[in-house]
Amino acid sequence: MKIQEAEIIELMSSEKSREKGVRLMMDAYQSRLYWHIRRFVVDHDLAQDILQDTFIKAYQNFHQFKRESQLYTWLYRIATNESLQQLNKLKKMQKSDEDSTNHLHNLVADNVQPDADEIQVLLQKAINTLPEKQKLVFNMRYYEDLPYEDMAQILEMSVGTCKTNYHYAKQKVEEYIKQNYTE
């Protein structure tokens, strides 16, 4: 991956080869970034839109890439910021919709043994109750198994803060599932 990353950076640095560099960058990182974004927004179409916005921002702002971190880390940060901006927009739109909360609570039916999909819904509901920082850290660690050092760099916080946020997030998710899972 390092060789490909160096090649992408070289291509992106030259005006003549920038488009080829973007195509190579998209091929290399599209899938990983999509699933990172998808864990935030859940909706496939919205995740695709955010992914596209991420690559557009990377293309437009490549001159700001300082090469102090890996290219993927920089892209990951852009994707995270784009996802959070979109979530904030959605939150503003949903504040007036009080029924959405009731709908989420009714997704897992009472006295019905959940199947794998229902368990995933329950897990997503638990994750959605977390504060933003804990949600970010939990998703990065639980789903993507990112090292704390990478998370710290992406989220611009200390490794200790990442570990603490993950610890509290994990406790809250476990407690939520215990309270809401009926066998």
Side-chain angles (χ1 to χ4, degrees):
M1 187 65 94
K2 286 283 187 191
I3 295 170
Q4 188 173 17
E5 182 170 300
E7 182 182 354
I8 292 168
I9 291 170
E10 185 179 324
L11 291 169
M12 292 286 294
S13 297
S14 168
E15 203 62 43
K16 293 179 182 177
S17 60
R18 182 163 292 157
E19 288 192 30
K20 182 177 180 184
V22 168
R23 284 194 299 275
L24 191 59
M25 180 175 61
M26 290 172 70
D27 289 343
Y29 300 114
Q30 183 170 316
S31 179
R32 289 172 66 194
L33 288 172
Y34 168 80
W35 285 108
H36 170 66
I37 294 166
R38 179 80 186 262
R39 288 186 183 91
F40 282 108
V41 297
V42 182
D43 180 71
H44 167 73
D45 293 329
L46 185 56
Q48 289 284 36
D49 290 345
I50 294 171
L51 179 64
Q52 183 177 5
D53 291 343
T54 298
F55 285 123
I56 290 169
K57 283 217 171 155
Y59 176 81
Q60 292 173 337
N61 298 303
F62 190 76
H63 63 279
Q64 293 178 346
F65 176 59
K66 296 179 181 145
R67 301 177 190 183
E68 294 170 357
S69 64
Q70 294 179 353
L71 179 61
Y72 178 70
T73 304
W74 184 68
L75 292 169
Y76 208 97
R77 185 176 308 195
I78 294 171
T80 299
N81 290 339
E82 289 295 307
S83 298
L84 289 175
Q85 286 176 358
Q86 189 62 41
L87 286 173
N88 286 334
K89 286 178 189 175
L90 291 174
K91 278 183 185 177
K92 287 177 185 175
M93 290 177 3
Q94 288 178 347
K95 278 188 178 183
S96 62
D97 185 11
E98 295 176 7
D99 291 335
S100 64
T101 304
N102 293 333
H103 175 68
L104 287 175
H105 288 293
N106 293 329
L107 282 177
V108 178
D110 292 333
N111 301 323
V112 176
Q113 185 165 347
D115 60 19
D117 289 338
E118 289 175 308
I119 291 171
Q120 282 300 316
V121 168
L122 184 61
L123 177 60
Q124 282 305 311
K125 285 173 59 177
I127 292 169
N128 286 334
T129 65
L130 297 172
E132 283 304 320
K133 283 185 182 178
Q134 289 179 11
K135 187 186 303 186
L136 277 168
V137 171
F138 185 86
N139 282 329
M140 289 176 170
R141 187 74 179 165
Y142 182 80
Y143 287 111
E144 298 172 39
D145 200 27
L146 276 179
Y148 288 111
E149 293 75 17
D150 290 354
M151 287 191 293
Q153 191 173 28
I154 291 165
L155 299 173
E156 297 177 332
M157 58 177 69
S158 72
V159 171
T161 302
C162 288
K163 288 180 179 180
T164 300
N165 275 297
Y166 181 73
H167 173 75
Y168 285 123
K170 190 172 139 193
Q171 282 182 331
K172 289 176 183 176
V173 167
E174 288 173 357
E175 186 61 33
Y176 183 94
I177 290 172
K178 285 179 188 174
Q179 289 177 355
N180 294 284
Y181 180 71
T182 55
E183 294 188 78

